[in-house]
Amino acid sequence: MRSSVGPGLALLGLLGWGSSAAAYVLPAPFILKMMADRRERLELKDLTVQLNTEVGEAGAVVEEYWYLKPPERSRRVRQEEEQTVVELQREGKQARGPEGALKLVKGPIADPLPTLLFPAGADLDQKLQRIVAQLKGLGVDTTVSALGRFNGTVCYIIGARSFEADRPQLWLDKETFLPLRLIHFPTHEGKKVRRELRWLEFGSSTTGEFFPRILEVWEAGKRSERAEVEKVEVNTKVPETIFDLPS
């Protein structure tokens, strides 16, 4: 029996079906769990990262060392003028200051990358909870997901639609589930400032899939830092004691 549907209607039906299929986006918790699962499969222990970092508008270059250890341990050390400055994270707590005189810093974690790389937890569900907690602390709505494009890469967006630039959000590569950028709005001197972290060039010959080769910080639309990884050592048995927080 010949169909009564004309070719025009049939084509519209196919186009409509294709549009709805293309528009489907995975739920945000599932996307974040896939990210945690990919990281777990890498079976990384400790990282020692050497970076050259351009700071400020003048672009002064400083050498940094960044030590990362699961779960959620991070110690970033740089030479600023005549003193060594340390930024320390440990499972949701953070400290900053001259080496030997660190002080605890209140508020959300400024850089969630250590948690995204090495979330605490005995299983994937617990690791997902840690990631969600960190993102919520930065204002990201972890129930919202969408699709967007960043530097030519199709991405999942957690926390906003692609056109909602004024909402906190995390972008992940749609194929690899690697984090590529984070936008949030910390308060500085009583005003909210747009701050963006960019993690670029995963998969380079220098860093492999497990770490970005370029790390950038953008504040109020201007790039304030650009760090380029010179060397990465994996599973280096970083001592636990270097992550001790001040009392």
Side-chain angles (χ1 to χ4, degrees):
M1 181 177 180
R2 182 175 296 177
S3 170
S4 61
V5 178
L9 289 177
L11 177 60
L12 285 175
L14 287 173
L15 289 174
W17 180 86
S19 299
S20 62
Y24 176 74
V25 183
L26 294 171
F30 182 82
I31 296 169
L32 295 174
K33 193 169 185 177
M34 285 294 293
M35 178 182 65
D37 180 61
R38 291 289 180 92
R39 302 303 306 182
E40 189 175 74
R41 289 174 185 271
L42 290 176
E43 297 183 347
L44 293 176
K45 299 295 183 183
D46 304 1
L47 300 180
T48 298
V49 185
Q50 180 183 345
L51 310 101
N52 287 331
T53 305
E54 298 177 12
V55 182
E57 295 183 2
V61 178
V62 297
E63 187 177 67
E64 291 190 278
Y65 285 88
W66 197 354
Y67 307 95
L68 297 117
K69 184 183 184 74
E72 297 180 45
R73 268 78 164 144
S74 168
R75 182 184 181 91
R76 192 165 177 173
V77 183
R78 72 166 60 168
Q79 188 69 30
E80 290 187 0
E81 297 179 351
E82 297 182 357
Q83 64 179 1
T84 301
V85 175
V86 177
E87 295 180 356
L88 187 63
Q89 289 187 34
R90 185 186 179 107
E91 294 184 54
K93 296 182 179 180
Q94 58 189 336
R96 189 181 191 280
E99 192 167 29
L102 294 179
K103 292 185 178 179
L104 291 173
V105 178
K106 295 181 179 180
I109 292 294
D111 186 349
L113 187 59
T115 298
L116 300 180
L117 297 181
F118 294 128
D123 54 35
L124 277 179
D125 287 331
Q126 291 183 6
K127 291 178 180 181
L128 174 61
Q129 291 174 10
R130 288 296 304 156
I131 292 171
V132 167
Q134 289 282 36
L135 294 177
K136 284 184 176 179
L138 295 169
V140 177
D141 185 346
T142 56
T143 66
V144 174
S145 60
L147 288 173
R149 189 178 291 271
F150 176 60
N151 285 349
T153 300
V154 178
C155 298
Y156 287 120
I157 309 170
I158 307 297
R161 307 289 185 256
S162 59
F163 55 85
E164 295 177 313
D166 59 345
R167 296 186 64 181
Q169 53 200 270
L170 173 70
W171 291 54
L172 300 99
D173 186 305
K174 184 175 181 290
E175 298 299 322
T176 65
F177 294 92
L178 291 168
L180 301 184
R181 71 194 297 216
L182 172 83
I183 299 169
H184 67 119
F185 298 85
T187 300
H188 180 67
E189 296 181 351
K191 296 181 180 180
K192 286 189 175 182
V193 179
R194 188 180 194 274
R195 187 170 189 265
E196 180 176 347
L197 305 177
R198 297 181 181 180
W199 304 301
L200 310 173
E201 297 187 24
F202 280 96
S204 74
S205 59
T206 304
T207 60
E209 185 185 348
F210 49 83
F211 203 80
R213 194 183 75 84
I214 304 293
L215 304 96
E216 295 182 347
V217 180
W218 292 70
E219 295 174 321
K222 295 182 179 180
R223 192 176 71 192
S224 58
E225 286 191 12
R226 183 182 188 274
E228 183 172 338
V229 176
E230 291 294 311
K231 183 179 179 182
V232 178
E233 296 180 30
V234 182
N235 301 335
T236 50
K237 296 184 178 179
V238 177
E240 177 75 12
T241 53
I242 70 169
F243 304 105
D244 290 342
L245 292 163
S247 58

